[in-house]
Amino acid sequence: MIAMSDLIRVSLRQVVRQRGFGVMLSIALGITAFIVLAVLGREIRYKVGQDMVLMGGVNVIQVYMDDAQYPGQPDREFYPETIEALSQLPGVSLVSRNLRDSKPFSIRGTGERTLAVDFIGIDQYFAEVYSIDLVAGRQLDAADVDAHRRVCLLGRDAARNLFGGSEESIGKLLFLEQDVFEVVGVVSGVMLGSWSQGGFLPYTTMADRNWGRGKVRRLFIRAIGWEDVPPLVKVIPQVVREHQSAPYIVVQTQEDQLKRIKTTFMWVEALLWLGIAASLMLGGFGIWYGTFAAVRARTREVGLKKAMGGSDVDILAQFLAEALCKSVAGGILGIVIGCALVEIGSLSLGTGISYSLLFASSIGSIVFSAVIGIAGGLYPAVQASRMDVVTALRFE
């Protein structure tokens, strides 16, 4: 029986001679991708998903009172305690108040131009909920809302139509009925849509003047991720009705876009895992083919070892050990590269690392690499161990 130390030494020497670096690299790439996806897959999915979500607005849920559609119903609004309860729900990032109904005004701009501009009442969280970009000036803040200030924001299209540009609009005074409002900011954003041609006032200021019917009848709820939207849609009406009367509450989402994003992520994730499987299978086939080639090239060597007293188990162990060395070496290389990429990825994403998951993934990778080596090298090794001595010695 060959000693274990001699077996490992001879196997490593044969691996170097055979130069099976392509096989080891294929296994290493598969193991690297597996470790990165296993440890950082959730964070990567979340970060990439957020960019897609914010562009489509699928994680923004509109909740409003639809009492106006039913004659005889009182004009209900959302109570502060209801809004607070909604903001505490798991999966909720922000809740923004809105008066829902807009208020149109005729505004005189530069060059005696008069345009009709619709204004809606918002709070300080609206910009973050709707991912609104600041083009010039500043956003509305809590002080503007709490102090009921006479300030406003203009959409970029409205600012251009009225005053020729965003920077030119800052500081302009708008006469809205009997009051004068100062333009403090110009905003833009993919999700604004037609609101880019309108304006925004503190909802408290609009409520004081009974503009937009003067009540908070719509909420914009931003979910942390698109995966949080379906459970929130189910629980929001229950929470609202626990704190107030809301027989005709409506919860609205971008359901079609949400389905498309889910489908996209499903296919992307499936393709990534298929790529990992293909890389590892390629490594396994490489080991299978390489071991067969080694057996054929060393047929006379096998015959000599058997003639000198070598057992079938010794021959089997030698070729199987060579296959294992290739696969495990590729697995170790993949673990080293994978751990380095996980560290870099965590810094880039600004997230922590689950070292227990990293350790488990590394151990699993070593085991899986060994399985690939055994699966790829077992059959050729068995064939070598069953060779007839005379036939092997006569092989040319």
Side-chain angles (χ1 to χ4, degrees), residues 268-389:
V268 168
E269 196 168 9
L271 289 173
L272 286 174
W273 285 110
L274 282 175
I276 293 173
S279 179
L280 294 174
M281 286 180 64
L282 182 63
F285 281 118
I287 289 174
W288 180 82
Y289 178 80
T291 306
F292 256 126
V295 169
R296 182 174 179 80
R298 292 154 59 191
T299 300
R300 295 191 67 185
E301 177 187 330
V302 172
L304 285 170
K305 286 183 177 181
K306 283 196 169 189
M308 296 173 64
S311 66
D312 291 354
V313 174
D314 291 335
I315 303 300
L316 175 67
Q318 181 176 341
F319 284 101
L320 197 57
E322 292 175 14
L324 274 171
C325 285
K326 287 182 187 178
S327 62
V328 172
I332 292 173
L333 178 60
I335 290 171
V336 172
I337 299 173
C339 290
L341 290 180
V342 166
E343 291 286 350
I344 295 171
S346 66
L347 292 175
S348 301
L349 296 173
T351 184
I353 300 174
S354 174
Y355 286 101
S356 60
L357 183 57
L358 179 60
F359 178 76
S361 301
S362 300
I363 297 297
S365 298
I366 289 291
V367 174
F368 195 66
S369 300
V371 171
I372 291 175
I374 293 172
L378 182 60
Y379 182 73
V382 170
Q383 292 293 98
S385 69
R386 291 178 178 176
M387 280 185 183
D388 179 69
V389 176

